Amino acid sequence: MKINTALILCAGLGKRLNPLTLKTPKPLIELKNITILERCINTIIEFGAKKILLNTFHLGNQISEFIDNKKFPIDIEIIEDGKEIL
């Protein structure tokens, strides 16, 4: 089975990781000098997917900036989950 599009869920508040997530969204926390989000994206690229969807909410602007700055070699679309968490 081939994966064409992947979804990475990035909208949570990260409450269980406070105080780390008060100013940094959980997907941007670094483990061994690479963010959780970058690890996920790199794994999806290795699987040969063509597109990634990211949903954002808590500190979503930081995730958008991260994606813009990294210039990943895959189509990444960010979906903002609105003004209230579900």
Side-chain angles (χ1 to χ4, degrees), residues 34-52:
I34 186 169
T35 66
I36 295 168
L37 180 57
E38 187 169 357
R39 286 184 191 278
C40 290
I41 291 170
N42 289 339
T43 300
I44 291 167
I45 290 170
E46 287 177 19
F47 285 139
K50 304 290 184 235
K51 182 175 186 173
I52 297 175

Side-chain angles (χ1 to χ4, degrees), residues 7-8 15 19 23 25 39 41 45 49 51 56 73:
L7 171 64
I8 302 175
K15 289 182 179 181
K23 295 183 179 180
R39 286 184 191 278
I41 291 170
I45 290 170
K51 182 175 186 173
T56 63

Side-chain angles (χ1 to χ4, degrees), residues 4-83:
N4 291 319
T5 303
L7 171 64
I8 302 175
L9 304 173
C10 299
L13 297 174
K15 289 182 179 181
R16 289 177 289 206
L17 290 176
N18 278 349
L20 295 174
T21 54
L22 292 175
K23 295 183 179 180
T24 303
K26 184 169 57 176
L28 296 184
I29 291 176
E30 290 187 1
L31 301 169
K32 294 186 178 182
N33 298 320
I34 186 169
T35 66
I36 295 168
L37 180 57
E38 187 169 357
R39 286 184 191 278
C40 290
I41 291 170
N42 289 339
T43 300
I44 291 167
I45 290 170
E46 287 177 19
F47 285 139
K50 304 290 184 235
K51 182 175 186 173
I52 297 175
L53 303 173
L54 298 176
N55 75 325
T56 63
F57 179 75
H58 177 63
L59 303 173
N61 60 322
Q62 289 183 33
I63 293 172
S64 296
E65 288 175 15
F66 175 79
I67 295 299
D68 288 343
N69 291 334
K70 286 303 263 188
K71 308 289 187 218
F72 289 101
I74 190 169
D75 181 25
I76 299 176
E77 181 180 337
I78 296 176
I79 302 164
E80 296 180 17
D81 270 353
K83 298 189 189 291

